[in-house]
Amino acid sequence: MSLSRFIDSLNEKIANTVSWALLAAVIICAGNALIRYIFNASSNAWLEIQWYLYGAMFLLAASHTLKRDEHVRIDVVVGRFSKRTQVWIDLFGFLLFLLPVCLLILYDAIPFAQVSIASQEMSSNAGGLIVWPAKLLVPLGFLLLILQGISEIIKRIAFLAGKIDGHEFAKHVTTPEEEIEAIKTANKLN
C-alpha cells in the first residue's frame, strides 16, 4: 500500500500543478483573440502553445482521473453487481486492457519522442515552436497512467484481501455541504 500511496500522491501533485495549464491556456487564448480582432495580428506560436497546454492537461491529468475513478465506464451495467464483483471487473479491466494498451503506446511513444528530441524538431508552421516538448508529453502521460494503473491494482487486491475498505478507490461524490463550503471559501478569496 505504501507504493500505491506514493503513486497516488505523485499523480495528485502533478495534476494540481498541471491544472494551472488550463488558466494559462484560457489567458493565452483570450489574449490571442483580442490581439487578432483589435490589431489584426496573430502568431502561430500563441496557437501552438495553447495546443501544448491542452495536451499537457489531458495527458498528465489522465492518471489523476483514473485515481479519482472518474474515467469512462459502464456504471449502468457494473452498478448492478456487488462491490466485490465490481472490484474484480476493475481488476480484470486494468490487467487485460489498461496496462497492455498503455504499455504498447509507451513502447511506440518513447522512440517517437526520442527522434523529435534528437532532431530538435520544429513546427512546420511559420513562427511555430519547438515540437519535442509536446511529443515528450505522450510517453510521460502514459507512464503516469501505467503507474496509476499499478496503484489501482494494488488497492483492488488489498480490498479483495480485506486489508482496506472500498473508500480508498471509490469515486468521491461532493456533498451539498462540501459545495457550500467551497463557495464560501472562494468568496473569501474575492
Side-chain angles (χ1 to χ4, degrees):
M1 284 304 297
S2 61
L3 174 62
S4 176
R5 286 190 182 100
F6 171 77
I7 293 169
D8 289 353
S9 173
L10 172 69
N11 280 321
E12 186 79 31
K13 288 175 185 168
I14 290 171
N16 287 337
T17 302
V18 83
S19 68
W20 288 98
L22 176 60
L23 177 62
V26 168
I27 290 169
I28 290 168
C29 182
N32 194 32
L34 285 172
I35 290 169
R36 189 171 54 247
Y37 291 114
I38 293 172
F39 300 109
N40 199 24
S42 186
S43 165
N44 285 330
W46 288 111
L47 295 172
E48 288 182 10
I49 196 69
Q50 290 174 60
W51 300 337
Y52 290 9
L53 291 168
Y54 288 129
M57 285 184 294
F58 288 107
L59 286 165
L60 301 180
S63 54
H64 185 255
T65 303
L66 180 61
K67 174 190 172 291
R68 291 179 51 101
D69 198 30
E70 297 287 337
H71 56 286
V72 176
R73 62 184 320 147
I74 307 171
D75 288 331
V76 174
V77 175
V78 175
R80 297 174 189 250
F81 298 118
S82 70
K83 182 67 174 175
R84 192 165 184 80
T85 303
Q86 291 176 19
V87 168
W88 275 109
I89 292 169
D90 283 348
L91 196 54
F92 286 120
F94 294 145
L95 290 170
L96 297 176
F97 298 106
L98 178 77
L99 288 183
V101 169
C102 287
L103 285 167
L104 181 63
I105 293 171
L106 183 64
Y107 178 78
D108 284 337
I110 290 172
F112 173 73
Q114 284 176 328
V115 167
S116 185
I117 292 167
S119 68
Q120 292 295 297
E121 184 178 2
M122 294 291 296
S123 170
S124 60
N125 296 321
L129 301 175
I130 54 174
V131 175
W132 67 262
K135 288 188 175 183
L136 187 60
L137 290 172
V138 177
L140 184 56
F142 279 93
L143 176 63
L144 292 171
L145 194 54
I146 289 167
L147 289 174
Q148 191 60 47
I150 292 168
S151 173
E152 297 305 314
I153 289 168
I154 291 169
K155 289 185 265 191
R156 294 329 187 267
I157 291 171
F159 173 82
L160 292 172
K163 296 183 178 187
I164 63 169
D165 63 12
H167 298 294
E168 291 268 349
F169 53 84
K171 183 184 290 188
H172 177 73
V173 178
T174 307
T175 64
E177 293 80 16
E178 289 173 325
E179 288 183 20
I180 290 169
E181 191 58 39
I183 292 168
K184 285 179 183 177
T185 303
N187 286 335
K188 288 179 187 175
L189 294 175
N190 293 331

